[in-house]
């Protein structure tokens, strides 16, 4: 959830929501780095790839939105990702998923259905799926994390659901899980 906070959880707003793909296979490799250098980890978000953030305000998410999310996501097949390398975005160290086509398609499908919720609030022109490890750190810190992670790659992950998470004022909490088609 790149760009969500300024190093603390102060950048999060109560009632904000996001859609993520959990990558539990990454946790053993990235947990210690994320807990130190990724504000979303400190606020309770597991290792993940963001599908869409910010999504609709929690107050707008009702049974109709849940049903529409289930329809949109259920029409997309489950898929496998491989993580072989780290990558960089401005000020961010991340793991690069391969292939990323299905992730881009998930984001596009949700953004097409809810055009009032563009990816990253419209701040970035391109959708770049990634698993954030660290952000806002000196290059030396990012290089140290990258060197550590090099020996922990590759790994694969099977993506079969998308989670709706909500910030409750203290932590991010999962509110719903939507199964992808098989």
């Amino acid at each position: 959830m790149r760009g969500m906070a300024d190093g603390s959880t102060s950048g999060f707003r109560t009632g904000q929501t996001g859609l993520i793909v959990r990558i539990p296979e990454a946790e053993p490799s990235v947990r210690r780095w994320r807990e130190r250098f990724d504000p979303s980890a400190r606020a309770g978000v597991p290792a993940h790839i963001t599908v869409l953030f910010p999504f609709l305000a929690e107050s707008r998410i009702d049974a109709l939105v849940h049903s529409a999310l289930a329809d949109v996501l259920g029409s997309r097949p489950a898929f496998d990702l491989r993580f072989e390398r780290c990558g960089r975005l401005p000020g961010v160290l991340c793991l690069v998923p391969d292939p990323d086509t299905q992730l881009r398609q998930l984001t596009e499908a949700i953004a097409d259905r809810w055009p009032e919720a563009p990816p990253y609030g419209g701040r970035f022109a391109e959708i770049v799926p990634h698993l954030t490890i660290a952000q806002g750190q000196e290059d030396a810190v990012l290089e140290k994390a990258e060197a550590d992670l090099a020996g922990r790659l590759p790994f694969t992950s099977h993506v079969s659901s998308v989670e709706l998470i909500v910030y409750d004022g203290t932590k991010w909490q999962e509110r719903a899980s939507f199964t992808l088609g098989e």
Side-chain angles (χ1 to χ4, degrees):
M1 298 175 101
R2 181 176 80 183
M4 288 194 341
D6 60 5
S8 69
T9 58
S10 65
F12 305 127
R13 291 188 319 274
T14 301
Q16 269 185 318
T17 69
L19 294 162
I20 65 168
V21 168
R22 289 178 185 260
I23 308 294
E25 297 84 356
E27 288 289 354
S29 301
V30 303
R31 179 180 296 123
R32 75 182 186 102
W33 295 108
R34 288 187 69 242
E35 286 175 353
R36 290 175 62 198
F37 302 122
D38 180 3
S40 72
R42 292 191 297 273
V45 182
H48 70 283
I49 297 172
T50 301
V51 173
L52 190 79
F53 176 83
F55 188 50
L56 305 176
E58 183 180 25
S59 61
R60 290 197 47 207
I61 298 179
D62 58 13
L64 291 174
V65 172
H66 275 263
S67 178
L69 279 168
D71 288 346
V72 170
L73 295 169
S75 72
R76 303 284 171 180
F79 54 93
D80 292 324
L81 295 173
R82 186 166 172 84
F83 296 85
E84 295 181 350
R85 65 183 179 87
C86 291
R88 297 279 181 103
L89 296 167
V92 174
L93 175 67
C94 56
L95 292 180
V96 177
D98 186 47
D100 70 2
T101 305
Q102 294 97 330
L103 293 162
R104 289 174 191 266
Q105 290 171 347
L106 286 175
T107 300
E108 290 165 356
I110 298 293
D112 286 349
R113 174 62 181 78
W114 287 277
E116 69 273 31
Y120 298 105
R123 289 179 41 219
F124 304 100
E126 186 180 358
I127 299 165
V128 181
H130 61 281
L131 191 157
T132 299
I133 298 162
Q135 56 183 315
Q137 302 301 312
E138 298 291 326
D139 281 346
V141 172
L142 300 181
E143 289 164 9
K144 184 176 179 182
E146 188 170 359
D148 174 65
L149 290 166
R152 301 170 187 265
L153 301 173
F155 65 87
T156 59
S157 182
H158 182 70
V159 176
S160 59
S161 65
V162 173
E163 277 61 55
L164 171 67
I165 59 173
V166 178
Y167 189 65
D168 67 8
T170 305
K171 290 280 186 193
W172 286 92
Q173 307 283 339
E174 182 180 316
R175 285 292 194 267
S177 182
F178 300 92
T179 303
L180 299 175
E182 289 300 324

